[in-house]
Amino acid sequence: MKKAAAIAVALSIGSAGGFVAASQQAPAVAQEEPGSCTVSQYAMALRWQQQSGEARALQAQTYALATQTLEQKVKKARSHSNNGKGNAAQRHQNLAIITDLDETVIDNTALLARDMEHCHDYTSWDTWGDWEQQGNPTLINGAKEFLERADQLGVDIFYISDRSVENLEPTLDTLNELGLPQVSEQQVLLLGPPKQERRATVQSDHTVLMQLGDTLHDFDEGFAGTSLTQQRSLVEQNSEKFGNEWIVLPNPTYGSWSKAALE
């Protein structure tokens, strides 16, 4: 999940890098001098996310627990509806989940590794536009099975991502090629409006049982643009939501924490 502000800047200047396969020429962006590749600091995180068994195990574990929780929530919601419990609005709303895409459902580490190998800082986001159009991401372990189960349970799925709305069609193509359920223009909501507005649109006529993401502002706008100290405080304040309403996927490859000083 990429920062909305960073993507907006990237869209205003265009995609400078261009998509190329790892075996081809480096993106046409400014590179660091040989021997001064500061972005090599990303290597350990990328190795873990892309290659480690632990990453795959944690992803599978997260989605297994999410599946169990979702099944319980659906059963409870429908039991209350059938028994006439809850208010009228709750009884007549559709059930839904909201999920982020990048590093939550789909894995973009091929792009990140390629950029790093060419000493290009992928957190400038200038190579993401072409990747969204022409890249070949893979699936996060366990994501497809979870989403298929949600579909089987009759839960509406909304994919809310800060990919560019200009790349909606290729994003739909990518999600369809990966075999994900409920992929449509109505249910894949990209940047334009802030995520909070897109979430509110879904919540206006759905009961949202669960949200999934790899970054805290995938869940609530209170996390966006705040300091790491404030984010940690908000995590504590919302501790009862994690593992229940909010499901976090691991992503050590980029985030607002990436340049924080160690103590």
Side-chain angles (χ1 to χ4, degrees):
M1 190 231 39
K2 305 179 287 301
K3 294 181 181 177
I7 297 177
V9 172
L11 289 174
S12 69
I13 62 175
S15 295
F19 172 78
V20 290
S23 61
Q24 294 178 322
Q25 183 178 346
V29 291
Q31 308 299 321
E32 297 188 32
E33 292 297 323
S36 63
C37 185
T38 59
V39 296
S40 62
Q41 65 186 307
Y42 302 146
M44 185 68 76
L46 278 170
R47 288 191 187 100
W48 188 89
Q49 184 79 343
Q50 186 184 76
Q51 299 295 335
S52 77
E54 287 85 354
R56 291 183 63 80
L58 187 54
Q59 292 161 356
Q61 174 180 277
T62 301
Y63 272 117
L65 293 173
T67 300
Q68 294 175 15
T69 301
L70 180 62
E71 289 173 344
Q72 294 167 2
K73 284 178 172 291
V74 170
K75 182 177 180 180
K76 182 178 180 180
R78 290 183 176 151
S79 175
H80 283 191
S81 177
N82 292 336
N83 292 330
K85 297 180 181 179
N87 61 48
Q90 289 175 326
R91 292 200 301 272
H92 290 91
Q93 282 181 327
N94 298 320
L95 302 181
I97 60 172
I98 293 173
T99 182
D100 176 53
L101 284 176
D102 298 310
E103 278 52 75
T104 299
V105 171
I106 56 179
D107 183 332
N108 301 289
T109 52
L111 167 68
L112 311 185
R114 185 204 73 193
D115 278 2
M116 187 198 69
E117 288 170 359
H118 294 302
C119 277
H120 180 65
D121 189 342
Y122 54 71
T123 64
S124 65
W125 314 121
D126 55 355
T127 55
W128 279 84
D130 285 333
W131 175 258
E132 291 172 7
Q133 295 175 16
Q134 305 181 57
N136 294 295
T138 56
L139 285 164
I140 295 291
N141 194 30
K144 183 177 180 180
E145 293 80 2
F146 168 77
L147 294 169
E148 287 176 338
R149 181 57 179 150
D151 185 50
Q152 292 169 359
L153 291 168
V155 175
D156 290 337
I157 302 167
F158 289 89
Y159 302 92
I160 296 185
S161 166
D162 279 346
R163 287 179 162 230
S164 167
V165 71
E166 295 180 359
N167 293 330
L168 176 60
E169 286 302 322
T171 295
L172 293 174
D173 291 342
T174 294
L175 299 182
N176 280 316
E177 288 170 5
L178 291 170
L180 298 177
Q182 300 188 33
V183 173
S184 70
E185 291 187 13
Q186 293 72 38
Q187 288 173 253
V188 179
L189 307 178
L190 305 185
L191 183 72
K195 278 197 169 184
Q196 187 66 18
E197 291 184 23
R198 286 172 277 162
R199 285 192 292 262
T201 298
V202 176
Q203 291 164 342
S204 68
D205 58 3
H206 285 77
T207 297
V208 177
L209 301 177
M210 182 180 290
Q211 297 183 66
L212 302 98
D214 65 293
T215 302
L216 292 173
H217 67 260
D218 288 333
F219 307 108
D220 189 276
E221 65 179 345
F223 291 103
T226 60
S227 70
L228 297 181
T229 299
Q230 290 172 308
Q231 289 180 30
R232 292 195 297 269
S233 176
L234 286 170
V235 167
E236 292 180 6
Q237 294 172 34
N238 292 278
S239 60
E240 76 285 351
K241 295 182 180 180
F242 292 102
N244 182 22
E245 299 173 40
W246 297 348
I247 306 296
V248 185
L249 274 293
N251 176 16
T253 61
Y254 55 84
S256 60
W257 46 265
S258 62
K259 293 179 174 60
L262 293 174
E263 298 177 355

